[in-house]
Amino acid sequence: MTNIPIESIPVLGKNPLPPAWRKYFSFSTDHKVIGVQYLVTSFVFFLIGGLLSMVMRAELITPESDLVDRSLYNSMFTMHGTIMIFLWIFPSLLGLANFLVPLMIGARDMAFPRLNAVAFWMVPVFGILLMSSFFLPSGASQSGWWAYPPVSLQNPSGDLINGQVMWLLAVAISGVASIMGAVNFVTTIFKMRAPGMTFFRMPIFVWTVLSAQLIQLVGLPALTAGAVMLLLDLTLGTSFFNPEKGGNPLLYQHFFWFYSHPAVYVMVLPIFGVFSEILPVYARKPLFGYRVVAISSITISVVSLLVWVHHMFASGTPGWMRMFFMATTMCVAVPTGVKIFAWTATIWRGKLRMDTPMLFALGAILMFLFAGITGVMLGSVPFDIHVNNTYFVVGHFHYIVYGTITMGMFAALYHWFPKITGRMYYEGLGKLHFWLAFIGTNLNFFPMHPAGLMGMPRRVSSYDPEYAFWNVLASLGGFLLGMSTLPFILNMVSSWVQGKKAPANPWRAIGLEWLVSSPPPVENFEEIPVVIAEPYGYGKSEPLVSNAAAMTQEA
Amino acid sequence: MESSISSELQHSATEHVHDEEGNSMFGFIVFLLSESIIFLSFFAGYIALKLTATDWLPPGVSGLEVREPAINTIVLVSSSFVIYFAEKALDRQNLWGFRILLLATAAMGSYFLWGQATEWRGLSFGVTTGTYGGLFYLLTGFHGLHVLTGVLLQGIMLARSFIPGNYEGGHFGINATSLFWHFVDVIWIVLFLLIYIWQ
């Protein structure tokens, strides 16, 4: 049924035939193709990272270290963290932003289409580079995803090409690709907006992508600087971070967290954007406090650059520094609280439609609220020192990276699936996915909090039997979470192949991307739209553009 | 009236879309701002390590010679003015004036690199000599790579100026090269103050 001979690949835009799959394997410069390439590639890495975590959960189901070698366990948590951040969350969000931002601002493509394609193709390159380090004689990096010296400087094998060097090279390539992407997004959003699309008419998703990419531009070079110095320490024998030779390992921590804390906001801000897009559609109400929500995104990116030392409260930082960064960390709760308030007010007395994207969005917001509360707890110095490097921290940030970001990502994938593929997904499978994922996430990550409060340290493969109860629960949750991706994969693949054809606007949503056909034509708009209203005009019955007919003419 | 506004907007839209040169320059400036943060990070690292070090200078090293690097600095900073005049010459369509001034810029950049290499050869410490040695070579080396990139860009711009019709699409290439050169210069001034003056 799908064995279309290669010769009959339709002339693009002629018939609404399924798009030729081959374009997704080519060096395409179409932002929509690149978006899908990012999404699919990152999802493959998500599965690899997930398998690693399930092996770790299997190891932790008993207090003894009995399943994998201890050094392999070290490599596994290092690679799990690195893969999930650099190869799943970052690229999948870039994929979503790639697909949506030009459509949402009324542009035909990104500002630099070729740069866009080059940046994407660096992802598989450094992904494979990173994976291949498992096959080195000395194994993959074991120093955790933050690679603190002097641990990361050990190199017991003595090989020049070791797991840590491969890790640093992969992170460096990822950094170059991210900077390319950031330059592209910032330029696109500043310079390519359709006429009438003023800053305060941009959808919140575009605002959040802009905020996130500005953080990349300011923060990422600091990590690059630290990574270069660490690489030189490791290969040439310089002594920037090597305490044995007069270097200062704390300096690396500053470089690392100056970027890697804001990186959390790079990851979560676009998901806040997703929530702000989805809630009004399924509640049939305008987003509450649109301008305030927009400004709070920029506020978060500014404040996020001044909080990094809260990761170093236990690193011998001076008292004034702890006080200062404790105060700034608490400040982040203000703009995020504004957003939570706005989302609550948006769904308040709305006509809620509990489709899969809405379920994922609401579930993710609920778990974000919980993660936000434990985040404020961790921001206070005395509490942080008490639970430093315990499973409490692990539980906290997994509520962010899985409970909020990955669940939000699924919300986005379901919501825009008809637009991306031109097909509808199966609602039943979607709901099954949600409930498995929601229960699995909480069962997996909630027990980490009590285990951490009891004192269970992170990054160990064996532990005191008194923590066993919580670990068994967490492991069961972990396996459930792993299972939950099966209905998702089944849904995505079968819907894309034989799902019902999607109309241009199946959700009756308001936004430029919903005015064009599903999937959108190659150049998006026949005529560039002229925007005459703010977004989220639900229940107002005013047009969004003045030339709706001309911009969607038969391409 | 509505339609006249929209047609006006439409006009600015087509301008918008075709302003690729403007986009490229905007993107390049964004990139340079981001790149400057790598240097700022290195500078911050230098200051932090210098302030906290117990033994800063390696044994047997009393400091750096300032005279030669100062001459180098003067050459590099003046070359920023030379490339500025090269740009002006191109704006006035004085193609040969532009080529000569661009060649002069590249020559001054090369002189700087040569001076840097000579200095490196004469030093008694290496890259593994304590944090001081590492930072000295890291900072000057990373900056030197940027100077080399600038000189290569100038060479490309010079070669491309002989292609007929090269400037029909605008002057983005040379404007970006020039901006990059000013950037390399400003970074050097900070670096010179940090490494050579603050000893």
Side-chain angles (χ1 to χ4, degrees):
Chain A
M1 56 197 171
T2 53
N3 52 349
I4 306 160
I6 292 163
E7 290 79 13
S8 76
I9 285 172
V11 180
L12 287 171
K14 195 82 182 112
N15 295 308
L17 280 172
W21 56 270
R22 278 157 58 106
K23 74 180 175 197
Y24 293 111
F25 292 87
S26 70
F27 188 83
S28 170
T29 55
D30 181 348
H31 73 96
K32 298 183 289 300
V33 175
I34 295 174
V36 174
Q37 287 174 327
Y38 265 118
L39 287 169
V40 174
T41 312
S42 62
F43 189 74
V44 171
F45 285 113
F46 172 68
L47 294 179
I48 298 174
L51 280 177
L52 288 175
S53 72
M54 282 165 75
V55 178
M56 285 191 285
R57 277 324 318 174
E59 166 67 74
L60 291 173
I61 208 160
T62 55
E64 299 81 30
S65 175
D66 45 15
L67 184 68
V68 291
D69 189 54
R70 277 168 198 260
S71 60
L72 181 61
Y73 186 85
N74 292 346
S75 291
M76 289 174 92
F77 70 67
T78 303
M79 295 297 263
H80 166 74
T82 311
I83 289 169
M84 288 307 200
I85 288 168
F86 292 103
L87 287 161
W88 157 241
I89 298 183
F90 276 155
S92 63
L93 289 171
L94 282 176
L96 197 62
N98 241 303
F99 191 92
L100 290 175
V101 165
L103 281 167
M104 282 181 163
I105 63 172
R108 291 211 159 93
D109 206 323
M110 298 282 284
F112 309 114
R114 247 189 318 170
L115 187 72
N116 200 15
V118 172
F120 162 72
W121 282 102
M122 288 167 96
V123 174
V125 169
F126 77 78
I128 291 166
L129 186 72
L130 191 68
M131 294 300 145
S132 64
S133 68
F134 268 119
F135 303 103
L136 290 173
S138 52
S141 163
Q142 297 183 38
S143 58
W145 85 277
W146 55 34
Y148 276 4
V151 176
S152 51
L153 292 174
Q154 295 308 308
N155 191 14
S157 70
D159 300 335
L160 182 62
I161 304 295
N162 56 56
Q164 194 65 52
V165 167
M166 300 283 264
W167 185 91
L168 281 166
L169 288 176
V171 168
I173 299 173
S174 151
V176 173
S178 298
I179 290 292
M180 287 179 177
V183 167
N184 210 345
F185 275 109
V186 171
T187 309
T188 305
I189 294 170
F190 268 91
K191 307 284 277 189
M192 306 279 283
R193 279 170 291 123
M197 177 62 84
T198 57
F199 275 103
F200 282 110
R201 281 183 185 164
M202 296 194 310
I204 294 292
F205 183 74
V206 180
W207 272 98
T208 52
V209 169
L210 178 64
S211 314
Q213 297 301 323
L214 287 174
I215 296 178
Q216 291 283 51
L217 289 167
V218 179
L220 196 50
L223 176 69
T224 311
V228 167
M229 289 162 90
L230 190 61
L231 191 63
L232 293 176
D233 273 6
L234 200 57
T235 52
L236 292 186
T238 54
S239 51
F240 303 119
F241 304 132
N242 191 343
E244 286 170 29
K245 297 197 248 168
N248 187 347
L250 260 186
L251 182 62
Y252 175 84
Q253 296 188 16
H254 281 288
F255 280 139
F256 183 81
W257 289 115
F258 180 77
Y259 170 63
S260 296
H261 186 78
V264 179
Y265 296 96
V266 176
M267 299 188 271
V268 83
L269 274 168
I271 294 299
F272 291 168
V274 166
F275 298 155
S276 309
E277 297 302 319
I278 287 180
L279 296 187
V281 179
Y282 297 86
R284 312 310 302 168
K285 276 179 65 192
L287 181 70
F288 183 87
Y290 162 70
R291 286 184 180 225
V292 180
V293 175
I295 289 168
S296 71
S297 308
I298 296 285
T299 314
I300 289 175
S301 23
V302 174
V303 181
S304 78
L305 291 167
L306 296 169
V307 300
W308 78 93
V309 176
H310 68 217
H311 292 270
M312 300 165 60
F313 285 156
S315 301
T317 36
W320 64 267
M321 219 186 237
R322 295 180 188 185
M323 289 302 288
F324 175 78
F325 283 96
M326 180 166 96
T328 53
T329 302
M330 302 285 174
C331 287
V332 184
V334 176
T336 40
V338 165
K339 284 186 187 247
I340 295 257
F341 180 79
W343 296 327
T344 315
T346 303
I347 55 172
W348 187 258
R349 295 191 173 165
K351 295 193 200 79
L352 298 195
R353 200 168 74 207
M354 286 299 178
D355 290 343
T356 309
M358 185 64 163
L359 283 175
F360 269 100
L362 291 178
I365 291 173
L366 204 62
M367 290 191 275
F368 174 63
L369 189 63
F370 181 72
I373 292 168
T374 54
V376 174
M377 288 163 78
L378 285 167
S380 89
V381 174
F383 185 81
D384 182 78
I385 287 175
H386 177 65
V387 295
N388 178 63
N389 255 346
T390 66
Y391 260 86
F392 190 88
V393 179
V394 180
H396 158 71
F397 72 72
H398 277 91
Y399 262 84
I400 294 284
V401 290
Y402 203 104
T404 312
I405 298 173
T406 303
M407 295 287 272
M409 191 69 211
F410 285 133
L413 288 176
Y414 283 111
H415 182 63
W416 281 287
F417 184 83
K419 185 53 63 184
I420 294 172
T421 62
R423 304 280 181 157
M424 299 303 288
Y425 62 85
Y426 299 112
E427 193 61 46
L429 278 173
K431 289 204 167 98
L432 175 68
H433 175 208
F434 169 73
W435 286 109
L436 290 179
F438 186 73
I439 297 167
T441 309
N442 285 294
L443 192 58
N444 190 353
F445 303 123
F446 184 79
M448 292 180 177
H449 294 83
L453 283 176
M454 288 161 76
M456 179 174 167
R458 65 194 284 200
R459 296 180 171 170
V460 290
S461 57
S462 60
Y463 54 85
D464 193 290
E466 69 171 312
Y467 311 130
F469 172 69
W470 298 113
N471 276 289
V472 171
L473 279 189
S475 290
L476 292 177
F479 301 138
L480 186 61
L481 206 49
M483 298 295 290
S484 77
T485 47
L486 297 179
F488 174 73
I489 297 170
L490 181 67
N491 201 351
M492 293 292 116
V493 173
S494 59
S495 306
W496 200 338
V497 173
Q498 55 176 27
K500 211 171 77 198
K501 287 262 162 44
N505 189 358
W507 315 124
R508 291 186 295 125
I510 296 178
L512 291 182
E513 80 269 31
W514 299 108
L515 293 176
V516 295
S517 62
S518 303
V522 176
E523 293 263 274
N524 298 346
F525 304 102
E526 179 67 18
E527 188 181 307
I528 292 290
V530 176
V531 182
I532 51 171
E534 280 195 10
Y536 315 114
Y538 294 95
K540 287 182 183 165
S541 73
E542 58 181 20
L544 181 64
V545 296
S546 66
N547 56 345
M551 60 178 270
T552 53
Q553 266 166 6
E554 185 55 34
Chain B
M1 196 185 95
E2 184 84 321
S3 71
S4 83
I5 292 171
S6 71
S7 76
E8 207 173 285
L9 285 168
Q10 203 58 54
H11 177 66
S12 74
T14 38
E15 252 176 31
H16 237 54
V17 172
H18 292 114
D19 188 18
E20 275 177 26
E21 177 128 311
N23 287 355
S24 302
M25 204 60 197
F26 184 92
F28 191 68
I29 291 169
V30 170
F31 166 73
L32 281 186
L33 288 175
S34 184
E35 184 80 353
S36 67
I37 297 197
I38 297 194
F39 279 104
L40 287 183
S41 308
F42 284 146
F43 294 159
Y46 178 86
I47 293 168
L49 284 172
K50 175 161 180 171
L51 291 179
T52 56
T54 41
D55 306 303
W56 176 237
L57 291 176
V61 177
S62 56
L64 289 164
E65 175 65 46
V66 183
R67 208 175 66 89
E68 296 292 325
I71 295 171
N72 249 340
T73 307
I74 293 167
V75 171
L76 191 67
V77 173
S78 346
S79 71
S80 244
F81 293 95
V82 179
I83 201 167
Y84 171 76
F85 287 116
E87 255 184 301
K88 287 284 147 223
L90 187 63
D91 286 346
R92 289 196 306 271
Q93 320 227 311
N94 176 1
L95 206 50
W96 275 106
F98 161 73
R99 284 170 184 150
I100 289 164
L101 286 168
L102 193 61
L103 188 65
T105 315
M108 290 162 97
S110 308
Y111 174 83
F112 175 88
L113 283 175
W114 179 74
Q116 185 90 69
T118 318
E119 189 197 1
W120 278 18
R121 273 202 301 276
L123 290 173
S124 61
F125 57 88
V127 70
T128 53
T129 319
T131 47
Y132 179 79
L135 283 166
F136 174 81
Y137 287 102
L138 176 70
L139 263 61
T140 53
F142 193 62
H143 177 265
L145 271 180
H146 282 74
V147 177
L148 183 65
T149 311
V151 171
L152 290 176
L153 283 174
Q154 288 153 12
I156 294 169
M157 290 305 132
L158 196 58
R160 285 214 322 217
S161 76
F162 289 97
I163 301 171
N166 181 44
Y167 297 111
E168 277 162 15
H171 297 172
F172 166 67
I174 180 66
N175 290 344
T177 305
S178 167
L179 187 66
F180 183 74
W181 198 243
H182 299 320
F183 166 78
V184 168
D185 251 13
V186 171
I187 295 291
W188 176 256
I189 292 170
V190 181
L191 211 159
F192 182 73
L193 292 175
L194 271 183
I195 294 189
Y196 293 92
I197 303 299
W198 182 41
Q199 291 211 22

